[in-house]
Amino acid sequence: MTEAAELPPAPEQARDVFGDRFSDAVRYAELLAEAGVQRGLIGPREVPRLWERHLLNCAVLSEVVPEGVTVCDVGSGAGLPGIPLALVREDLKITLLEPLLRRTTFLTEVVELLGLDHVTVVRGRAEEVMGKLPPVHVVTARAVAPLDRLATWGIPLLRPYGEMLALKGDTAVDELKSAATALSKLGAVDTSILHVGEGVVDPLSTVVRVEVGESPGGVRFAAKRAKAARTGRTRRRR
């Protein structure tokens, strides 16, 4: 049996980024390195680089999330980027959306242990919860799917004039070009590539921002959303 990789000490930047929540960030890192690996949520090879590649890489997303908004982290997995974002931004109301039970079980345990009262865990797929969850200002995602496919799941969850923020790597430019037609059909009105985490992570974290207009998801999803809302009202009357 291979010996478990050891979690390195938190880098000094983590104290600045997480502030009063630094001890909670350390506990989350420990949970990822232990239960996260044991349950197959992250690979053991990721443990030595948990801080730089995962926690800090995700936490700096906060630089481009507006104040006091609602956020849905699609395909949250082990809580990345949702949990680090929640640790540094208590002004946000965050939903961690994840279809797999073993992952939502882990996420619920983390949220309760760290006392993240502004975070809700929901089990389900994005296409299943549309109309059941209130539309949000911001959708986040990391390592879920190529941008064109991710957009079909994430954009319909947005409020009018909301935005999707997808953490991407070196493929960001190519993915954005390939997804241009799909994004337009889904109601996107503007796209950009942002680099965040100056002085915290190296290389900088790359974020693809997709801003939508008054019809997130386009005409087809507007009809679905309206139907789901009508169904929800009918059920509440019974």
Side-chain angles (χ1 to χ4, degrees), residues 88-155:
V88 298
R89 294 288 300 277
E90 295 191 36
D91 60 300
L92 306 174
K93 290 190 179 300
I94 300 176
T95 298
L96 306 179
L97 181 62
E98 169 56 48
L100 295 184
L101 178 60
R102 63 188 171 90
R103 293 177 180 169
T104 54
T105 299
F106 175 78
L107 292 173
T108 301
E109 291 170 1
V110 171
V111 167
E112 291 177 355
L113 182 66
L114 302 185
L116 298 173
D117 298 332
H118 57 306
V119 178
T120 303
V121 178
V122 173
R123 185 185 176 197
R125 298 182 184 279
E127 58 269 32
E128 297 169 348
V129 302
M130 188 182 67
K132 299 176 183 177
L133 292 180
V136 297
H137 298 93
V138 177
V139 162
T140 59
R142 177 179 186 256
V144 174
L147 187 62
D148 54 352
R149 200 185 324 155
L150 173 63
T152 65
W153 300 333
I155 288 180

Side-chain angles (χ1 to χ4, degrees), residues 4 10 33 38 45 78 85 87 103-104 113 115 121 154 195 222 236:
Q38 292 164 7
R45 293 182 180 178
L85 183 61
L87 287 170
R103 293 177 180 169
T104 54
L113 182 66
V121 178
H195 299 284
R236 284 193 292 272

Side-chain angles (χ1 to χ4, degrees), residues 172-184:
V173 174
D174 291 337
E175 284 193 47
L176 193 51
K177 287 180 181 177
S178 299
T181 300
L183 292 175
S184 179

Side-chain angles (χ1 to χ4, degrees), residues 135-139 154-160 162-164 210 212 216 225:
V136 297
H137 298 93
V138 177
V139 162
I155 288 180
L157 300 178
L158 289 169
R159 294 169 48 133
E163 59 185 341
M164 183 174 74
V210 179
V212 300
R225 192 181 294 107

Side-chain angles (χ1 to χ4, degrees), residues 155-156 185-188 212 215-222 225:
I155 288 180
K185 289 180 179 178
L186 287 165
V212 300
S215 299
V219 176
R220 183 163 60 95
F221 285 98
R225 192 181 294 107

